[in-house]
Amino acid sequence: MRIGILISGRGSNMVAIVDAVKAGEIPDSEVAVVISDKPNAAGLAKARDRGVETVIVERKGRSRHEHDAEIVSELEKRNVELVCLAGYMRLLSRDFIEAFPNKIINIHPSLLPAFPGLDAQKQALERGVKTTGCTVHFVNEDLDAGQIILQRVVKVSDDDTVETLSARILEQEHIAYVDAVNRLTTKSLSTEI
Ligand code: GRF
């Protein structure tokens, strides 16, 4: 399975996937490319350090349609079969989604459908939930709204801050993302997980 990963920032979920592929924990797979819409994304150096090709496709000066079309073309050029969004901070257009039907997945730091969008961990703390977690889901045109693949639960402590809670969720994100990619690469890609 040839995997393409889209990032906008730190790239710790991307690193978890790349390292799992390298360690053979995700068998018969290769991370073909890491694409960032931000030239200064910290994850780019981490990908290069691991010998993964990186491409920057900035939105600047392009319409959303042109930007997505260029990313699709970079993915298709490398015969990517599974697209992982890992802290990629843009909604995908319908054309992008239709280019990879049921083959684009995302990770989100809450138990969706609770707390979609930005600052999910802060939303969870403010609401006072006692458990939260992370979700890997298929991507559609709506924000954090596609079919759920898997979730991992994290307990909220009374003394949690956004930072401490986010750190514990992030540990579970790395496990969840590798697990989800594994399921999708070893079974046929299907929404019927
Ligand atoms: C993660 O919390 C992920 O769930 C969210 O954005 C963050 C990205 O972190 N979509 P990283 O870039 O993978 O370290």
Side-chain angles (χ1 to χ4, degrees):
M1 179 72 71
R2 293 179 63 75
I3 300 168
I5 306 179
L6 269 57
I7 64 169
S8 298
R10 178 177 60 185
S12 72
N13 280 286
M14 174 274 296
V15 165
I17 296 168
V18 169
D19 287 351
V21 168
K22 285 189 182 298
E25 289 160 25
I26 300 174
D28 303 322
S29 296
E30 185 189 346
V31 178
V33 66
V34 169
I35 299 177
S36 174
D37 63 326
K38 303 277 183 219
N40 56 352
L44 286 167
K46 298 175 191 171
R48 287 186 205 118
D49 286 349
R50 289 165 170 79
V52 177
E53 186 188 4
T54 59
V55 175
I56 297 163
V57 184
E58 278 189 88
R59 170 68 192 268
K60 233 192 278 173
R62 295 178 173 92
S63 69
R64 182 173 170 211
H65 180 78
E66 287 165 347
H67 185 239
D68 275 7
E70 184 158 345
I71 294 174
V72 167
S73 146
E74 295 292 345
L75 294 167
E76 286 177 340
K77 249 191 254 174
R78 294 168 180 82
N79 299 317
V80 164
E81 298 158 283
L82 177 67
V83 181
C84 299
L85 309 187
Y88 182 67
M89 299 302 286
R90 291 181 185 282
L91 277 178
L92 304 191
S93 59
R94 176 176 300 197
D95 286 349
F96 193 146
I97 289 158
E98 287 177 355
F100 294 94
N102 279 347
K103 291 177 180 177
I104 310 175
I105 61 176
N106 180 44
I107 185 140
H108 182 76
S110 75
L111 296 176
L112 290 172
F115 314 127
L118 290 177
D119 299 325
Q121 305 93 332
K122 183 162 175 265
Q123 292 184 54
L125 273 184
E126 284 175 355
R127 188 62 183 267
V129 293
K130 304 307 167 205
T131 53
T132 181
C134 60
T135 303
V136 183
H137 62 93
F138 285 101
V139 171
N140 62 21
E141 281 173 83
D142 300 319
L143 183 64
D144 302 324
Q147 180 77 21
I148 289 169
I149 299 167
L150 65 83
Q151 298 184 305
R152 289 182 73 88
V153 171
V154 173
K155 278 195 176 168
V156 181
S157 313
D158 291 342
D159 57 356
D160 259 328
T161 62
V162 173
E163 288 71 30
T164 59
L165 181 59
S166 300
R168 289 208 313 291
I169 294 173
L170 192 63
E171 280 175 28
Q172 297 306 312
E173 290 185 40
H174 298 160
I175 298 167
Y177 221 163
V178 169
D179 190 4
V181 172
N182 229 328
R183 293 190 199 191
L184 293 170
T185 53
T186 51
K187 292 181 187 175
S188 64
L189 280 179
S190 161
T191 49
E192 291 159 5
I193 300 290

